[in-house]
Structure formats: structure tokens, C-alpha cells
Amino acid sequence: MNTDHTPLAEPVSPREIPDAAIAMIDAEGTVVGWTQAAEQLVGYSAGEVVGRSAVHVLPPAEDTLRASAFAEQYRAQDGWSGTVTVRHRDGHAIKLTLRISLLWGQDAGTRWLVSVTDIGTLSSGASNGPVRESLLAHAPIGIAVYDPQLRCTWVNDAMERHDGAPRERRFGRRLRDSLPAVEAEALEVVMRQVLASGTTMVHEYRAWSSADRRREHAFSASFFCLQDAGGQAMGVCSMSVDVTGNRRARERLAILSEASTRIGSTLDFMQTGQELADLAVPLLADIAVVDLLESVPLGLEPSTRIGTTSGRRPVLRRAGVASIDLGVLELPAVREEVIHVPPASSFAAALRTGRSHLEPVLDPYAGPWVDHDPTRAQKVRESGIHSLMVVPIRARRCVLGLALFGRSEELTPFQDDDLLLAEELVTRAALSLDNALQYARQRTAALTLQRDLLPKHVGGGAAVDVASRYVPADTDHGVGGDWFDVIKLSGARVALVVGDVVGHGINAAATMGRLRTAVRTLADMELPPHELLTHLDDTVRRLSEEDADAPDQVPAAVGATCLYAVYDPVTRRCTMARAGHPPPAIIDPQGHATFPDMPAGAPLGLGLGLVPFESVELELPEGTLLALYTDGLVESRNDDIDAGLDRLSAALAQTGSSLEDLCSQVIEALPTQAPADDVTLLLARTRVLEPAQVASWDLPNEPNAVCTARQAAARQLGEWGLEHLVTTVELIVSELVTNAIRHSAGPSRLRLIQHQVLTCEVSDGNTSQPRPRHPHILDENGRGLFLVAQLSRRWGSRSATDGKVVWAEQDLLSTAVAV
């Protein structure tokens, strides 16, 4: 017999024991029991082996003397484990792992139980790995042999360590005398099946180990049918292994696997705390509470680092609470309630040091925190909590809060391995909370930037009454790049703008600010809507190219949609164009809503310069409501855009409502108050200037037209009660009319508009825009526009259908008649 001695090692895996072949040998080395698995392994039936010497059956014949010497050796050592080589009944050699265990009988007799497994049936990797080591190991395997009446006849020393019953109390008795009735009954059912079928079976049960009375252990028992020389069942052999560690390891892996899907499903701080508490109960604890520092739910990272003190008493807010007993859910505070931490408690120490605290046996009547918080101590006593773990929630050297785990119904106190599992669960929650903090910081920065870039106050002057709403996207999607603006133009006109930048986050907000500035600059050039969008498209494409040229930086997608509209309260005409943006809603004074059929245009930044933008012009009755919005208002995950447009039309149909009320009604009608995209709404109700507020005169292309224009302007100012402006306006009219006569071949036109300011306009047929010059001291010409700029609050020019318009504005003094 070839033998390789193997030192004692790890416990045998219960999954490997059923593959073993079992033989029972008496003190003289005679085989007295055989199994079907042994017959299948070496080819000898029970009739050929039982009653014969084991050394003549198992090893090759030439090793008989060596085997006899070895038998004496393992008899002195009470057992042996290693490898042997035996010859199959048909002659071929088999390398086996072998384990010999000493059994005791009722009269101090001894027998040997031999278990062997064919190494060749294992994979090549397993034969050199942990499986082989466990098979060869002399692990604490409890062995007992029962007669056909299921009474114990033989047992080894390890069984007493499993369930605490000494071997003298086992002999002649059944399992019910050493195990709980439920477990004993289940095991005896299995043993009867083994006796009837002759096959090997496995069953797991629980018992209190004599080596560890603090917790119930799990055992895996394999049952083998022992056969006599006639092949009849002579008893059952039971081999049991303590698998508590394996079971707990599997349970922990399952809990951690579940934690990866159940903790941190959103970026909501309070929900993450509740998810941690829900997972811990009942898998780890009977009661779990999660408290976050008060600043964390607000998206603010704690300022105090681990190991430092701020001098302030820590204040927590309850984020999660779970219990197997619903009546304990108010222990010691309900969710979202503020918690003041006693300074001398283990809770305060965990917050300060960042180290966990384990109290296997909790005394609710002792400890410094009892005196500081008697209410909490009373709640703990009433709950029956007898074991406690306090685990700080840490991220980047900051403590974000505490997780408390308690046991009340489960009698086993928390151990060190429970604390390790709790710390692992809390670490996963801390990662989610830290991600939420990082996102909250970025979102706050983006939202602050966007709010700073959006207009603080919008006013439509004499042209429109306006109101607006902006609702940022929910935390899962991030702040977008929506913007809106109301820009006052010359001649009492007003520009209404709504746009939407592609993407979310701080980059989208920054791009939004650049585009809003570009639109204002282009609006000051008095460009028609379609020309303004063309220039804005060039701007977006240049921004994209600049980002692409930036070294070591991934270029961000730059694109946007925009709707630009200009309303004139004198003519009641509204000119608008769009670049891939939803059309405006137009609600007439009777409450009927329409969406004008206007060219969609391509989104900005796509480089589709061959597809020009087009403007449409509409005449609007006084009191018409214009609604400009972004797609987040009318699009959602569950509804198509038509449903959103119908919802918007219905909300705006209330003709008697104020603009602020209408804005609120539209927002309240959203399918969810946490939209997936930014929601921007700009409402404008049109106004019309009275005919008495506008005066105009056609002027011939003659020098005396200057005098005529001055006199007409002076008379009109007198009618309006603006005599104090006559001198200034006469000078402005003289310069503007003179330039029109000098640089245009056709007639010109003078128009005065009294609204919030006084606007003086002179139009002519020359399309060239005027340019101010800086004349030298001796120059006789070139000072006209310079003089106009000095006398006006602002001035400029714009293109017209058949030429241009040069205009200048004057402030109305308090003595003027306000219209």
C-alpha cells in the first residue's frame, strides 16, 4: 500500500462526502460493514469483503507486510488520513484519498470507519486544490453508527463537540435523546429511507455546539447504508460536518449581492438610508435605523473630518428605520425626525472617530448615554434590544451619519463577523450617498449658474405683459440648458426667446449662458428672426469647433433649439422663426388655442446652412396670449407630444386668469412634479398702442423737409405735454432727416412713438446702415450722429422692407403725461 501522509487541514465540504465509499472494520482489522459506493469503487461486493481482513482486500498483495505495519501505526494515533493506491477487482490500480476514524462502542470496544474517494473522479484542478485538501484532512467530522432500529451503537469523539451529548448517553438511544424533536424526526426519516434503498443521502440540521453555546450551528449529515456479508442492511452510518461558517459565508454573499441591487437605486439621500435599513432587517438584525448628519439630506458635505471636532453637538436626521416588529418603528424616533446625539455616548464616539462600536450584550440600564437621554433608554428597554452595533457611514474621511443594528427576537448576540458584514453593507450605502453628494454639488452648481444666467425679472414694456416659470429636471437626469428671455427693441417692439441646449449638467448651463448672450447681441442688431437664427447657428457651430480643438478634452456635444419672435404693438404683427423648436401656442381672447403652421427649421449647430430658416408673420388681436416653451413641458416618457399639447391648450384656455395663475396651472398639470427634462414656460399677453400714441409724417426729398419735420415734431410734443423735450427732439429730428435727404434719393418718413420712452424714427429707402464718424477739428461734416448719440438715451438703426430705419430714444420726465 502506497501512502502519502497529509497533515490535519480544513473541514471536509459536505458536498464531497456523499461521493465517499465507506467500510467498517473491527479492532482486529476485519471488515464488518460495506456500502454500495464501496462496491462501485473497488468492484468487490459485500459478500466478497465482509468477514475478511481489510489488508488482504484493499492494498496490493505485495504490500501486505507494509500494510500491517502501517495499521499498527494508525491504531496508535487514533486515526489517519492520506492517499493510498489499491487494485480494482479487475486488476487496474486506483489512487484513493483515505480517512480512518476511531469509533467507540458501548463496552469500550473500538472499531474503525474507513472512507475513501477516487482522486481520478475529481477534476485536475480540484485534485491539487482546496477540494483535495479537504478530502484528505482530518477534520472534526462527527461519526455515529445506528442499528436498524436507529439506536446508536458506535460513535466517535467529534460528535460530542457537535451537539454536546457525551457518548455514554448515546449508546442504545435514538436521536431524539440528543437533538430537538423536530430535527431528530427529520433525520430519522432520512435514515429509514437509506436503510430501505441502500443509497447515500444528505440532510442539514441545526444544533447547539458544545464549543459555542452563544449561537445555533448548522450541520450537514451524510447517511450511508452498511451491509453485512449477505448484502443486507445492518445499520446506518452518519457523518456530520459543522457547516455554520460555510452557510454564513453563503448567506453573507447573498446579502452583499442583494445589497448591490437594493441600495442606491436613486440619488435620494433619505431613500438610500431607508434601503439600507430595509435590507438589514431581517437578514442581519431585528431592528435597523439610519441617521444622517443634518447637512447631508440638503446635499452639503459635512465640514468636520474624522478625528477632528467642530465644537458643536452633532445633529442627525433619521433617514431610515426598519423592524421585524412594526410596533417598534418609532424607536426611538420616526423617519425624518431630528436626532440630538448625547456627547458621551458611543454614537458620538463613532461620529468623531469613524470607528464602529459593538456591544454583544447591551445593558439598557447602564452607560453614560442613559443619563443624557432617558427617553431613548426607555424606548430601548421596551423594545427588548439586547445586542447592538453602531457603524459610522464614512466617505472620503468624512462621517455622513450612523447606522444602528439591534437584535431583540434573535437570541444570538452580534459577533465580530456580524460587524464585518454590517460595515460592508454600510460601505456600499456610503458610496451611494457620496455619489449623491457629488451629484448634488454639481447639480447645485449647474442650477446656480443657470439661475444666475436667466433673467431675474422679465418685462415686456408697452408691447406685452409677461410671466415665466422654470422647473429644473429631477435629480436622476440633471439640470439642462433651457433658457428664455424678453428683449426690448426699438419702436416699442419686444423680442420673445425660448431655447434648449442639448445635454444636462454644468456644461449645458454654461453653453446656455453663451447662447443667451449671443441672442441678446444679435437682437441689438435689429435682425429679422430668420437672419438672427442663421447667425446663431454659425455661433453654435463655432463653439462646437472650439471645443473639438481643445487638447486633452473630450468635446461635448453642442447643439440647441430656439424659437425667436418679435411683436410690434403698433402694427399688432408678430414675426417669428424657429430652429428645431416646438411651435408656440397662440390663444385668442376667446380662449381658442392654435399652434401656427411654421417651418420647423433645423436645430442649431448641425451645419445645415443650405436649409435656410424662414420667418412667418401673424397679425394678433389685442389680448392674444403667446406661450413659448421647451419640449420638457409637452413631452414625457408615457405620453406622446400630442397629449402634451392638448394638456397645455386646456390649461391656457382660462381667459379670465392672470398670467401668473396660468403659469401655475400649466406646471400643476404636468404628469409628474419631478420632470425628466427641464420645463420652461414664457407667457406673453399682447398689448396695442393707441393711435394717439403714434404720429407720423411723410417727407419729400427736399431741403425744406427738415424745417417741416421740426415743426411737426414740436407741435406733437406740445399735444402730448412734452414741451420740455422740444429743443432736444428738434435737434435729433434735424440731424436724422438731413442724413436721410443727403443719402437717399426717395422720400423719407418721420414717426414719433410715445410709450415708456419717446422714440423718434426716420426711415428712408437707402439700405446702408449709418456709421458714426470721428471728425477732425476742421471738418465741416460728420458730427450729426455723434450729436444724436449725445442727446439720446440710446440710438440705432434697423433694416426695413424697403430700406432702413434710424431711431433715437428720449426718457420721459415725471412731468410728462404717462400713457
Side-chain angles (χ1 to χ4, degrees):
M1 179 170 63
N2 298 326
T3 59
D4 298 315
H5 187 269
T6 303
L8 303 184
E10 296 293 327
V12 177
S13 169
R15 294 182 179 272
E16 297 154 2
I17 294 176
D19 296 331
I22 302 297
M24 193 172 180
I25 304 173
D26 64 15
E28 287 71 32
T30 303
V31 178
V32 295
W34 197 248
T35 62
Q36 290 183 1
E39 179 179 352
Q40 294 171 359
L41 182 63
V42 297
Y44 292 98
S45 66
E48 295 173 300
V49 175
V50 176
R52 302 185 62 185
S53 173
V55 296
H56 291 286
V57 174
L58 294 179
E62 61 270 17
D63 290 339
T64 302
L65 296 178
R66 184 178 175 187
S68 300
F70 184 73
E72 294 298 327
Q73 177 183 350
Y74 72 68
R75 183 190 303 272
Q77 297 176 354
D78 293 339
W80 180 86
S81 65
T83 61
V84 297
T85 301
V86 301
R87 182 168 294 132
H88 192 273
R89 189 174 186 276
D90 61 11
H92 72 274
I94 310 173
K95 189 174 184 180
L96 304 174
T97 63
L98 179 144
R99 180 186 183 95
I100 303 175
S101 303
L102 178 63
L103 303 181
W104 298 94
Q106 185 170 7
D107 298 325
T110 60
R111 284 189 178 182
W112 301 93
L113 190 82
V114 180
S115 61
V116 293
T117 302
D118 183 2
I119 292 180
T121 62
L122 303 176
S123 65
S124 59
S127 63
N128 295 319
V131 173
R132 179 176 180 272
E133 293 299 326
S134 64
L135 284 170
L136 299 179
H138 189 181
I141 299 178
I143 303 175
V145 177
Y146 302 88
D147 63 17
Q149 288 72 43
L150 305 183
R151 294 171 301 194
C152 182
T153 56
W154 301 92
V155 68
N156 71 344
D157 293 333
M159 280 302 296
E160 181 176 350
R161 297 198 296 271
H162 282 190
D163 56 20
R167 62 172 180 255
E168 293 79 9
R169 209 174 70 192
R170 295 178 185 271
F171 295 131
R173 299 181 181 181
R174 293 170 58 173
L175 282 173
R176 68 184 65 171
D177 297 314
S178 58
L179 290 178
V182 175
E183 300 289 359
E185 182 178 353
L187 291 174
E188 289 187 354
V189 169
V190 175
M191 287 194 290
R192 291 190 185 97
Q193 293 175 350
V194 170
L195 285 172
S197 64
T199 59
T200 301
M201 300 186 70
V202 180
H203 186 78
E204 290 192 3
Y205 67 96
R206 292 182 176 273
W208 292 93
S209 169
S210 61
D212 182 10
R213 287 295 182 181
R214 295 176 299 179
R215 72 171 66 194
E216 198 175 37
H217 283 233
F219 296 90
S220 178
S222 299
F223 297 94
F224 308 86
C225 180
L226 294 174
Q227 298 175 344
D228 58 17
Q232 301 300 313
M234 57 171 287
V236 179
C237 175
S238 166
M239 301 178 68
S240 59
V241 181
D242 189 338
V243 295
T244 304
N246 294 339
R247 175 186 290 271
R248 292 180 65 82
R250 292 195 299 269
E251 291 174 350
R252 277 160 169 70
L253 289 175
I255 293 174
L256 293 177
S257 176
E258 194 168 355
S260 63
T261 59
R262 289 180 55 182
I263 297 179
S265 61
T266 70
L267 292 171
D268 182 84
F269 299 98
M270 305 298 280
Q271 182 170 339
T272 299
Q274 186 61 49
E275 288 171 348
L276 173 59
D278 289 338
L279 178 66
V281 176
L283 297 179
L284 175 64
D286 297 332
I287 299 171
V289 294
V290 179
D291 297 335
L292 300 178
L293 285 174
E294 197 171 28
S295 62
V296 173
L298 302 177
L300 303 176
E301 185 175 294
S303 57
T304 305
R305 298 283 176 175
I306 294 176
T308 62
T309 57
S310 64
R312 297 175 55 189
R313 186 174 179 178
V315 178
L316 306 175
R317 186 174 295 276
R318 180 130 303 165
V321 55
S323 173
I324 59 173
D325 181 4
L326 298 180
V328 189
L329 288 181
E330 295 186 1
L331 168 73
V334 296
R335 192 166 182 255
E336 299 188 3
E337 186 173 337
V338 173
I339 309 296
H340 296 278
V341 180
S345 66
S346 58
F347 313 126
L351 286 173
R352 183 176 62 258
T353 64
R355 291 193 292 269
S356 302
H357 175 74
L358 170 64
E359 286 195 50
V361 179
L362 176 66
D363 185 356
Y365 294 93
W369 64 279
V370 174
D371 297 331
H372 287 281
D373 196 346
T375 302
R376 183 189 296 261
Q378 181 62 30
K379 287 285 188 179
V380 171
R381 286 191 287 269
E382 293 174 356
S383 69
I385 296 177
H386 61 81
S387 189
L388 180 69
M389 294 187 296
V390 181
V391 182
I393 305 173
R394 299 177 298 178
R396 294 181 294 109
R397 290 196 53 77
C398 285
V399 176
L400 308 181
L402 295 175
L404 281 67
F405 306 95
R407 279 183 176 169
S408 55
E409 299 295 331
E410 172 64 48
L411 299 179
T412 305
F414 286 123
Q415 303 297 316
D416 290 337
D417 55 349
D418 295 312
L419 183 61
L420 291 175
L421 176 59
E423 288 177 335
E424 180 64 26
L425 294 178
V426 171
T427 297
R428 301 197 177 202
L431 290 174
S432 299
L433 290 171
D434 189 49
N435 289 337
L437 276 175
Q438 300 299 321
Y439 175 80
R441 183 160 46 245
Q442 295 179 6
R443 185 174 187 271
T444 300
L447 189 58
T448 301
L449 175 62
Q450 187 170 39
R451 292 193 183 280
D452 287 344
L453 294 175
L454 290 175
K456 303 297 186 298
H457 172 73
V458 290
V464 292
D465 295 321
V466 293
S468 62
R469 287 290 187 278
Y470 168 70
V471 180
D474 62 21
T475 56
D476 290 336
H477 295 80
V479 177
D482 286 14
W483 90 91
F484 65 92
D485 212 342
V486 179
I487 307 170
K488 294 180 182 178
L489 304 176
S490 62
R493 298 170 307 131
V494 66
L496 306 172
V497 192
V498 168
D500 185 1
V501 174
V502 172
H504 294 84
I506 197 167
N507 290 333
T511 302
M512 175 274 290
R514 299 161 80 179
L515 294 187
R516 178 172 177 257
T517 301
V519 170
R520 278 194 161 264
T521 301
L522 295 172
D524 287 340
M525 297 172 62
E526 303 276 2
L527 297 174
H530 62 280
E531 291 187 19
L532 182 141
L533 292 181
T534 300
H535 286 284
L536 189 62
D537 181 52
D538 293 335
T539 300
V540 174
R541 283 191 286 117
R542 284 198 302 272
L543 292 176
S544 180
E545 293 170 358
E546 291 172 2
D547 290 342
D549 293 338
D552 302 328
Q553 182 176 350
V554 178
V558 178
T561 64
C562 184
L563 173 64
Y564 184 81
V566 176
Y567 174 68
D568 188 342
V570 177
T571 63
R572 295 187 290 110
R573 291 189 173 276
C574 182
T575 306
M576 62 185 74
R578 59 184 180 133
H581 202 83
I586 299 178
I587 297 88
D588 63 23
Q590 290 72 42
H592 301 130
T594 59
F595 295 90
D597 184 12
M598 53 186 298
L604 303 171
L606 298 184
L608 302 179
L610 298 178
V611 183
F613 300 103
E614 298 182 44
S615 295
V616 297
E617 188 175 81
L618 304 174
E619 185 172 332
L620 305 177
E622 182 178 8
T624 298
L625 183 64
L626 285 170
L628 284 68
Y629 53 90
T630 54
D631 55 6
L633 184 69
V634 295
E635 294 181 358
S636 66
R637 301 183 185 93
N638 302 321
D639 297 328
D640 57 24
I641 190 171
D642 290 335
L645 295 177
D646 293 340
R647 185 175 61 249
L648 175 62
S649 300
L652 295 176
Q654 307 297 325
T655 57
S657 301
S658 67
L659 293 183
E660 290 293 336
D661 290 342
L662 286 176
C663 283
S664 299
Q665 292 172 16
V666 171
I667 300 303
E668 290 171 0
L670 289 172
T672 173
Q673 296 306 306
D677 197 3
D678 286 10
V679 171
T680 301
L681 175 66
L682 177 62
L683 297 183
R685 182 169 284 147
T686 62
R687 301 170 64 181
V688 176
L689 293 184
E690 299 295 334
Q693 295 177 262
V694 182
S696 60
W697 301 269
D698 291 325
L699 302 174
N701 191 19
E702 299 174 356
N704 60 2
V706 176
C707 180
T708 302
R710 293 179 58 179
Q711 293 173 356
R715 286 195 303 271
Q716 187 62 53
L717 291 177
E719 294 179 9
W720 285 340
L722 301 176
E723 293 86 352
H724 57 285
L725 297 178
V726 169
T727 302
T728 303
V729 172
E730 284 182 337
L731 290 173
I732 293 174
V733 167
S734 296
E735 295 299 332
L736 297 184
V737 173
T738 298
N739 284 342
I741 293 174
R742 180 176 299 171
H743 300 291
S744 177
S748 57
R749 183 179 181 82
L750 171 65
R751 184 169 73 161
L752 298 180
I753 305 174
Q754 182 203 16
H755 49 110
Q756 294 177 332
V757 295
L758 176 68
T759 302
C760 175
E761 297 180 347
V762 175
S763 57
D764 59 58
N766 188 350
T767 58
S768 300
Q769 300 295 325
R771 294 179 178 271
R773 295 192 305 169
H774 298 279
H776 296 288
I777 297 176
L778 301 179
D779 289 346
E780 298 180 359
N781 299 315
R783 293 181 175 82
L785 292 179
F786 179 77
L787 180 61
V788 170
Q790 295 296 314
L791 297 175
S792 307
R793 65 187 301 271
R794 67 173 189 151
W795 77 279
S797 64
R798 66 177 182 268
S799 298
T801 305
D802 53 357
K804 68 175 181 297
V805 176
V806 183
W807 53 270
E809 292 180 351
Q810 291 288 309
D811 286 318
L812 301 178
L813 299 182
S814 58
T815 56
V817 178
V819 179

